[in-house]
Amino acid sequence: MTKKEDGSFTFTAAPEDFPKKHKAPIINIGIAETGKFIMTASSDTTIFIWDLKGEVLASINTNQMNNAFAAVSPCGRFVASCGFTPDVKVWEVCFGKSGDFQEVVRAFELKGHSAGVYSFSFSNDSRRMATVSKDGTWKLWDTDIEYKKQQDPYLLLTGKCEVSEPCRIALSPDARVMAISCGTSIIMYNTRRGEEEERFLNVHGEYITDLAFDINSRYLVSCGDRAIRVFHNTAGYRAVMEEMKGMLKKATNMATRERLQQQITDAQSALDSISAKD
């Protein structure tokens, strides 16, 4: 922060020059939402964990022949990677009560694909993960586990999908829907039933390089060919309605029934509004 002549303050970000540590091109960078560390992954088998000043806290050898994708979980606790091997490896980045870095430890692995994994995605609370593989399948996992007691993630769903490199998967923050990009097209799936919900064909002139949902699961964003496309998450609204209607049938408390009915009404109104614009 610097003080200006009129007495107000302004913030000037100072550039940090991180030393060259990677020996292969960097494919992914992630910053923990806690602000405690930065993750960089290169196309070999290396991941570095840095503090915000450019000091290396730890290095990870993923032992996956090569890294295809890596990310920091939304909760800021985990770093995960996938690559040539048919699994996703997840590590916990541990800090002490005083905020000092302690260590990086293996948390759990997602095993079940029969070929290398292209991409994966966390739900916002990191209790669900989705993966897409060269074997032509996607998988949804329950990662709300006691991994310190060697409990393994639970496989919830498996579905078939079209895949070609590059291929990306995005799980909505509420974990109700997921999107998979294949070439220049996007397919949306409902995670309760595993069924295809939407198909957006040839939405980019070149391969889609990444997918992401907004924090409220209202929109899906894709990028490629120097353009960003924004889509209404209509599959997400329908998933909310389906889930709330199921809960409404079981609800006995009047206040709960009214709340669920309001959520259904809101989701239907949002869908109607989107349809009207189209």
Side-chain angles (χ1 to χ4, degrees):
M1 299 291 293
T2 56
K3 192 173 184 179
K4 295 193 292 187
E5 291 182 2
D6 61 4
S8 62
F9 288 87
T10 183
F11 175 76
T12 304
E16 296 290 346
D17 186 14
F18 283 31
K20 183 178 179 180
K21 293 290 185 179
H22 286 284
K23 297 179 180 179
I26 294 173
I27 58 170
N28 291 111
I29 297 175
I31 303 176
E33 62 89 23
T34 56
K36 291 183 177 179
F37 68 90
I38 295 172
M39 180 276 306
T40 59
S42 51
S43 58
D44 48 16
T45 62
T46 306
I47 292 177
F48 282 113
I49 306 298
W50 312 72
D51 67 16
L52 272 60
K53 294 293 184 181
E55 294 293 327
V56 174
L57 300 175
S59 63
I60 302 169
N61 181 358
T62 64
N63 292 312
Q64 291 174 313
M65 298 289 285
N66 68 275
N67 296 331
F69 183 76
V72 179
S73 65
C75 66
R77 290 178 58 194
F78 304 109
V79 166
S81 76
C82 63
F84 183 80
T85 58
D87 51 15
V88 175
K89 298 181 179 181
V90 183
W91 294 265
E92 182 180 8
V93 184
C94 303
F95 289 84
K97 292 182 179 179
S98 62
D100 296 332
F101 171 75
Q102 292 184 326
E103 60 180 343
V104 176
V105 296
R106 180 72 63 86
F108 55 87
E109 294 183 8
L110 305 179
K111 297 181 178 181
H113 285 292
S114 59
V117 178
Y118 280 127
S119 176
F120 59 85
S121 181
F122 290 91
S123 63
N124 199 47
D125 56 10
S126 302
R127 297 171 64 183
R128 295 288 187 273
M129 287 183 69
T131 56
V132 62
S133 166
K134 294 178 182 179
D135 64 15
T137 67
W138 57 261
K139 293 181 183 292
L140 180 69
W141 308 82
D142 179 351
T143 51
D144 185 20
I145 57 171
E146 295 186 72
Y147 53 88
K148 292 182 180 179
K149 296 182 180 179
Q150 282 73 54
Q151 187 177 5
D152 293 323
Y154 300 101
L155 178 61
L156 299 175
L157 281 172
T158 298
K160 293 184 178 180
C161 60
E162 300 170 21
V163 294
S164 65
E165 198 168 1
C167 185
R168 288 286 179 264
I169 190 169
L171 182 62
S172 63
D174 60 15
R176 288 189 172 103
V177 296
M178 65 181 175
I180 296 176
S181 66
C182 176
T184 60
S185 302
I186 300 171
I187 301 94
M188 305 278 290
Y189 296 88
N190 179 302
T191 58
R192 284 171 64 88
R193 293 176 278 102
E195 297 175 0
E196 180 180 322
E197 287 276 338
E198 302 272 7
R199 185 175 284 248
F200 306 117
L201 299 176
N202 302 318
V203 292
H204 285 274
E206 297 177 8
Y207 289 146
I208 295 168
T209 55
D210 211 352
L211 292 173
F213 285 91
D214 78 297
I215 191 65
N216 296 312
S217 301
R218 294 173 60 193
Y219 302 102
L220 173 70
V221 180
S222 64
C223 63
D225 61 24
R226 299 183 182 180
I228 293 174
R229 304 274 192 271
V230 182
F231 304 88
H232 289 288
N233 182 17
T234 53
Y237 288 119
R238 289 195 293 269
V240 169
M241 292 173 61
E242 180 181 328
E243 184 177 325
M244 295 305 115
K245 286 177 180 178
M247 295 172 66
L248 186 60
K249 292 179 180 179
K250 301 176 182 178
T252 55
N253 181 279
M254 183 58 69
T256 301
R257 291 181 62 84
E258 291 177 354
R259 177 176 56 81
L260 291 170
Q261 187 59 60
Q262 186 60 51
Q263 289 179 283
I264 294 170
T265 301
D266 291 345
Q268 185 63 61
S269 296
L271 276 175
D272 292 343
S273 176
I274 294 167
S275 298
K277 292 176 182 177
D278 293 340

